[in-house]
Amino acid sequence: MFKGTLSNATGLAVNVSAGTFDGNGVGRTSIGSLAVGAQGILAVTIDPAAGKASLYEVAGSASFAAGSKVKVQLTNVVGSLGKFTVVKAGSLTGTSGLTANSVLLPAFLKSSLTANEQAGELAVTIGRKTAAEIGLNRSEAAAWDSVFAVLDKDAKVAGSFLQMTDTSAFRKSLQQMLPEHAGGVFETVTQGSRATARFLRDPEAPLVDLGSWGFWLQQVAWGTSKNLGDTSAYDISGWGAAGGAEINAGGLGKLGLSISYLGGRENGRNDNSVRADQYELAGYWRGDWGPFNAHARASAAHVGFNGSRTFTGAIGNEAVTRTSKGEWSGKVFSAAAGVSYELTSGRISLRPLLAVDYYRLSEKGYTETGGGKALDLTVNDRTSDEFAGEASLSLGYAFNQRTKASPSWFKVELEAGRRQILGGAIGATTAQFAGGTPFTLEPESRNDGWTGKLRVAGGSSDFTLGGEVGAEQQQGQGRAAIAGRLTLQMGF
């Protein structure tokens, strides 16, 4: 490779049989003749900010062999669009073998070569590829205009984009520029709350019964994931603890209050993440009249969100890293109810259940800091909700049955059912870079899915242990949300 400035070279014959010839940057390079072979590359630099581009002035002939290429080097993004004359020669030949594929450009730009052999001129025209030409998904396409317009506000970020010749690497970097929008936050806060509320459906859930009142404690965990589709990919996980107390209202059932802490995390595509700290207060009612069980619950929660987006790129061997951080809050409100009826025959039990639940998440807008003008976003308020119904059938087997003579007992249940989305939607995300045009990212619709659970419960007069692990089909991609709860009760 040759890169440098030629002086007093008007009589020099330049033969690029292989490798790269890079002349005087954005200035003029005057030579006697130019021959670019099949393995040769002629480098051109375009600096629209300076109003300059490389120009090879050839006194004699300039020729290009089939397979030769023109490598375009850009100093910024937005101003690089346009037509630029790069060769002016006494005579020009071989340009019929030069095509758009003969120009080396970043993955998001395209070009055409225009040759006027009679005038001895070769020009390159640079334009933007469409979203379809790059292969962008719906979210990437919706944000791309705004991202493109802001890149030059950070020379290092722009420089790393200009070196992305691979489409997959470009799309990965573009995803880093997007805010959380695919529904992972809603999934995180609702999965945890639903896990804590599930004990109301379980007649064998451990409870410290003190006669006119009782209390309970439990731990929950959950996790799920989503593939890259029309929006973005994510993995979520979380852990929480909940406790409650209830009073016996006689024939009317039991009334209770519970409090929970739920800590969830969404890890988005690349290094983007959101941490959710959720504090929930719930009131509930449940009744148990022989084989018939019913329950109702309402809750309200405050959620503190901490988000982080990291852009990573490179300019040659130089790593480029930017991190934007944002903090915002949200409120979660829910209501749920269900009925079940248990049929028993010896050690075997069968319990059909019907239930509904509604969740609503309202998030405040926020402005990120720390990432600079090409990465920090201002994100608007967002509201998401979901109304769902569930039908299931539980099959149980009591290995040991609780009796006055033998207080030790142990029971296993398998549950299968389906959760159907009846209404609601994940809220769209509207954001903008500083001084930029707002863009809106539409989420993918949440899908119905099959559910399955395994429950075990048992104990003696001294302690009771209960646990549940469940899976719920989601996103229509063969993926499942996993949730579990565990309760240990010591005797009183």
Side-chain angles (χ1 to χ4, degrees):
M1 175 179 178
F2 172 83
K3 183 175 183 179
T5 301
L6 298 177
S7 300
N8 301 317
T10 54
L12 180 66
V14 176
N15 183 8
V16 190
S17 58
T20 302
F21 178 74
D22 189 346
N24 190 27
V26 295
R28 296 186 179 188
T29 299
S30 299
I31 54 179
S33 64
L34 175 66
V36 184
Q39 302 299 316
I41 299 174
L42 182 66
V44 173
T45 301
I46 297 174
D47 185 359
K52 296 180 179 180
S54 299
L55 176 60
Y56 293 92
E57 291 186 322
V58 184
S61 65
S63 63
F64 292 84
S68 60
K69 296 184 181 295
V70 176
K71 179 181 180 181
V72 177
Q73 302 168 127
L74 305 173
T75 60
N76 63 37
V77 176
V78 177
S80 299
L81 309 182
K83 184 176 182 179
F84 306 92
T85 299
V86 296
V87 175
K88 201 168 190 177
S91 64
L92 184 63
T93 59
T95 57
S96 60
L98 293 173
T99 65
N101 292 330
S102 300
V103 180
L104 302 179
L105 280 173
F108 57 90
L109 296 178
K110 59 184 177 181
S111 67
S112 61
L113 287 167
T114 304
N116 186 335
E117 294 192 346
Q118 287 185 336
E121 292 183 353
L122 177 66
V124 58
T125 301
I126 300 174
R128 285 177 57 187
K129 290 182 180 177
T130 65
E133 288 173 323
I134 310 174
L136 302 184
N137 68 11
R138 187 175 67 204
S139 292
E140 294 161 352
W144 175 222
D145 283 348
S146 295
V147 173
F148 182 85
V150 80
L151 287 178
D152 286 332
K153 292 185 177 181
D154 187 322
K156 295 292 186 180
V157 173
S160 60
F161 266 90
L162 290 172
Q163 293 202 357
M164 296 175 192
T165 57
D166 178 70
T167 300
S168 61
F170 164 74
R171 290 190 62 191
K172 178 180 177 180
S173 296
L174 182 56
Q175 281 281 340
Q176 294 175 329
M177 309 291 286
L178 307 182
E180 190 285 327
H181 67 281
V185 160
F186 183 80
E187 186 72 30
T188 299
V189 299
T190 57
Q191 278 286 346
S193 179
R194 287 168 55 201
T196 63
R198 218 164 268 139
F199 84 97
L200 291 172
R201 303 182 181 187
D202 183 3
E204 303 292 351
L207 172 76
V208 178
D209 191 348
L210 299 178
S212 62
W213 72 285
F215 69 91
W216 53 269
L217 299 169
Q218 68 175 350
Q219 296 185 65
V220 295
W222 65 94
T224 188
S225 62
K226 175 188 173 300
N227 281 333
L228 180 67
D230 287 336
T231 56
S232 188
Y234 61 72
D235 295 290
I236 69 169
S237 60
W239 170 90
E246 59 186 42
I247 60 172
N248 194 332
L252 298 178
K254 297 178 179 180
L255 300 174
L257 289 173
S258 68
I259 188 169
S260 309
Y261 166 76
L262 305 167
R265 178 176 292 275
E266 175 198 359
N267 293 309
R269 190 162 170 80
N270 309 315
D271 296 323
N272 300 346
S273 65
V274 177
R275 168 76 187 183
D277 292 298
Q278 183 173 349
Y279 303 89
E280 182 179 74
L281 180 66
Y284 66 87
W285 164 84
R286 62 173 171 172
D288 181 358
W289 298 277
F292 180 75
N293 292 271
H295 69 269
R297 179 181 185 266
S299 72
H302 172 81
V303 190
F305 296 104
N306 285 275
S308 175
R309 293 188 302 116
T310 299
F311 171 82
T312 56
I315 302 176
N317 295 324
E318 178 188 0
V320 177
T321 303
R322 301 285 187 271
T323 299
S324 291
K325 295 186 177 182
E327 295 183 5
W328 69 102
S329 64
K331 302 292 183 184
V332 183
F333 298 97
S334 78
V339 294
S340 66
Y341 191 89
E342 185 164 321
L343 304 170
T344 59
S345 177
R347 295 177 180 270
I348 298 174
S349 63
L350 197 64
R351 187 172 70 255
L353 176 142
L354 294 174
V356 293
D357 62 66
Y358 175 78
Y359 277 88
R360 181 181 181 88
L361 168 63
S362 299
E363 300 171 71
K364 295 290 188 181
Y366 61 97
T367 297
E368 296 174 327
T369 59
K373 295 181 179 179
L375 190 63
D376 289 342
L377 285 166
T378 295
V379 182
N380 293 356
D381 295 356
R382 179 175 61 185
T383 298
S384 306
D385 68 341
E386 181 174 273
F387 177 49
E390 186 173 347
S392 68
L393 183 65
S394 296
L395 175 64
Y397 185 83
F399 289 88
N400 291 316
Q401 292 180 306
R402 183 165 27 193
T403 65
K404 291 183 179 180
S406 176
S408 297
W409 62 283
F410 181 69
K411 184 176 182 180
V412 175
E413 279 191 341
L414 288 173
E415 179 182 346
R418 185 170 180 85
R419 187 170 188 266
Q420 197 81 12
I421 307 298
L422 304 176
I426 304 298
T429 303
T430 299
Q432 68 182 92
F433 297 98
T437 302
F439 58 91
T440 299
L441 307 178
E442 297 287 346
E444 295 170 72
S445 298
R446 286 167 58 81
N447 297 324
D448 315 314
W450 299 103
T451 63
K453 298 180 183 70
L454 169 64
R455 276 186 296 274
V456 295
S460 66
S461 57
D462 295 323
F463 76 96
T464 301
L465 178 67
E468 176 187 272
V469 61
E472 179 183 316
Q473 181 188 19
Q474 289 189 341
Q475 312 300 341
Q477 303 166 341
R479 297 207 169 231
I482 305 298
R485 59 184 178 87
L486 177 66
T487 304
L488 174 63
Q489 171 200 320
M490 306 303 292
F492 282 78

